[in-house]
Amino acid sequence: MSQDNRATLGRRGLLTAAGALAAGLAGTAGSAAAADPARCGPVPFGPVSVRPGDPRYESPLLADSQRFVGRPDEVRVVGSTQQVGKAAYLKRSYTDTQLSTIYRHLTNDTGTPACGMLLIGYGGQVRAVEPTATAVAQRDAVMKAVFHSIWAKETDDDADLTWLRELYREVYGDTGGVPVPGEVSDGSYVNYPDVDLADPSWNTSGVPWHTLYYKDNYPRLQRVKARWDPLDVFHHALSVQLPR
């Protein structure tokens, strides 16, 4: 896979870790049940193989709720999938133009059944925290939008990444292809690191990636970085940079 596709996240490690966690929980629950028969739950079984062709493999979103039935002794992952997500905060509903764009991309024949969009509610206690109190400044958001694409075959890399990138860029076409903070949008969500935000071919807004993530909190985060990591030991493509 080329460096242009480095935003992809392999799921082999995630599934393997989930299996190890499930196995550990099974051992703990089994010991408790032996001491107290009333606490007996499903009988452990396994091993379980998750491979291409299995709906739990082909659709990791479905697998999140259906991967484990009972307490498996082991989960074997055969092959791997790729998952890429792009995010944006919303202060209010998308405009009619944006909604039409989203609908068109979700219903045309360029995507797959594993391509989609999530809307996650915000508000409540999130708003009780001052924008400058933490690294996360988006305290007025009412929703977080997540655009995602999931696929299993390396030969599908270009098609799936293109679908996701073009959808995102067109939804935010009026602000340079990214969710620039304003009346509708309020930047992006850093836990889904998106290197396209730092690429001028995908972000033509003139607004730097760190403003999309941290808004006015970035200079303070740089001062923290200078104090605790002055040699920039811990870094990646979208890590907080040392002050210049």
Side-chain angles (χ1 to χ4, degrees), residues 132-143:
T132 58
T134 71
V136 179
Q138 292 86 353
R139 299 294 170 176
D140 291 332
V142 296
M143 283 189 180

Side-chain angles (χ1 to χ4, degrees), residues 42-43 45 48 56 66-72:
V43 177
F45 66 93
V48 176
R56 297 170 298 176
Q66 295 189 4
R67 181 170 299 119
F68 302 120
V69 180
R71 295 195 296 266

Side-chain angles (χ1 to χ4, degrees), residues 61 105-106 110-117 147-151 159-161 163-164 167:
L61 292 180
H105 280 267
L106 291 178
T110 60
T112 70
C115 296
M117 175 187 180
F147 305 88
H148 65 82
S149 184
I150 305 169
W151 65 100
D160 281 82
L161 283 173
W163 179 88
L164 181 63
L167 164 62

Side-chain angles (χ1 to χ4, degrees), residues 71-211:
R71 295 195 296 266
D73 298 321
E74 176 187 356
V75 174
R76 291 197 192 119
V77 179
V78 183
S80 63
T81 61
Q82 304 295 337
Q83 177 175 355
V84 179
K86 289 175 171 287
Y89 288 104
L90 287 164
K91 289 183 176 179
R92 44 156 289 186
S93 173
Y94 282 117
T95 65
D96 289 344
T97 299
Q98 288 176 308
L99 290 173
S100 295
T101 298
I102 293 169
Y103 178 81
R104 175 162 42 83
H105 280 267
L106 291 178
T107 56
N108 64 22
D109 59 2
T110 60
T112 70
C115 296
M117 175 187 180
L118 304 175
L119 289 172
I120 302 170
Y122 269 58
Q125 284 300 109
V126 172
R127 291 174 176 259
V129 180
E130 291 296 323
T132 58
T134 71
V136 179
Q138 292 86 353
R139 299 294 170 176
D140 291 332
V142 296
M143 283 189 180
K144 179 176 69 181
V146 182
F147 305 88
H148 65 82
S149 184
I150 305 169
W151 65 100
K153 298 177 182 178
E154 189 172 350
T155 54
D156 293 334
D157 284 357
D158 289 342
D160 281 82
L161 283 173
T162 297
W163 179 88
L164 181 63
R165 283 169 157 167
E166 291 185 351
L167 164 62
Y168 195 79
R169 178 165 60 183
E170 190 172 347
V171 169
Y172 300 104
D174 289 343
T175 53
V178 296
V180 174
E183 183 180 351
V184 175
S185 300
D186 202 20
S188 188
Y189 177 61
V190 71
N191 274 9
Y192 307 149
D194 181 358
V195 293
D196 288 348
L197 298 182
D199 185 340
S201 63
W202 292 102
N203 176 4
T204 61
S205 68
V207 177
W209 63 267
H210 52 76
T211 298

